[in-house]
Amino acid sequence: MSAAALVPAALLGAVVGIAVPRIARRFGSAPSRPVPRGGWLGPVVAAVVFAGLVGARGDDPALPVLLAVAAVGLVLAVVDLACLRLPDPLVAVAGLLALGGLTGAALLSGTPGRLVGTLVGAAVSGAAHVLLALLPGSRLGFGDVKLAAALGLPLGWLGRDALLAGLLLPHLLHGALVLGLLAARKVRRDTLLPVGPALLAGAWLATLLP
């Protein structure tokens, strides 16, 4: 993908990033931790996310689906950071966008066999996170499990390596963050921290792998 294509992708991402806080506030429900209003960081993050996807997957017929899921994921990340929850309607939108969009991409590109990997990805990711959520002392909620299953759809589409990376990277990122915050004494061992942003960041990073 040429560098010239990254500029409109980044601009589109920035526009999405501007809209994200407004949309996220409709799903926030914790008065003590309101969803923040727009700032410069959101558009920058969204621009990087969109440009990364276009740069890494610009030739994939499912690129529009990946961008759409990323846009919903940005809203989910903001809500989870503010309210410690992943609203079911947003997770469902991400899953339906992925399933419907990837089905269309497979049929239009003449590769219906890729749908098998897509469904396997969702099943494996969902099952793995159900097991993690059932472990004693787990801080993983079933909102996280549902999001992991939804993200398993595009990861499964991209193949085994992307799926494995998408399963491992979120927990490495979250673990590193928790250790860093504990070392800096910003949180305590019993502090609840959102996992959704790590799931989303890990899935995004997994899509960038060659």
Side-chain angles (χ1 to χ4, degrees):
M1 179 63 61
S2 66
L6 300 183
V7 175
L11 290 175
L12 176 60
V15 171
V16 171
I18 292 171
V20 161
R22 182 187 296 264
I23 300 170
R25 284 197 298 274
R26 298 184 178 183
F27 293 91
S29 63
S32 61
R33 302 181 66 183
V35 173
R37 295 188 177 275
W40 64 269
L41 185 58
V44 171
V45 170
V48 171
V49 168
F50 272 50
L53 290 174
V54 171
R57 301 293 174 180
D59 297 329
D60 195 302
L63 176 63
V65 183
L66 299 178
L67 294 174
V69 173
V72 179
L74 289 165
V75 179
L76 281 164
V78 170
V79 174
D80 203 15
L81 285 168
C83 306
L84 293 175
R85 73 185 190 92
L86 294 165
D88 284 342
L90 281 176
V91 176
V93 167
L96 290 173
L97 280 173
L99 183 58
L102 292 173
T103 300
L107 295 177
L108 291 174
S109 63
T111 57
R114 294 187 75 172
L115 284 176
V116 175
T118 298
L119 297 175
V120 168
V124 169
S125 185
H129 285 83
V130 165
L131 293 176
L132 289 175
L134 294 176
L135 290 176
S138 173
R139 298 294 182 89
L140 203 67
F142 276 89
D144 301 310
V145 172
K146 287 178 277 191
L147 176 59
L151 294 175
L153 291 164
L155 291 172
W157 168 274
L158 295 174
R160 182 187 61 187
D161 291 345
L163 177 60
L164 291 176
L167 290 174
L168 294 175
L169 284 174
H171 303 287
L172 293 176
L173 293 172
H174 186 71
L177 175 63
V178 170
L179 289 175
L181 291 174
L182 285 172
R185 297 185 178 180
K186 298 292 185 181
V187 298
R188 301 183 305 179
R189 291 183 179 274
D190 60 349
T191 301
L192 291 176
L193 294 172
V195 181
L199 291 172
L200 292 159
W204 176 72
L205 289 173
T207 65
L208 306 187
L209 296 176

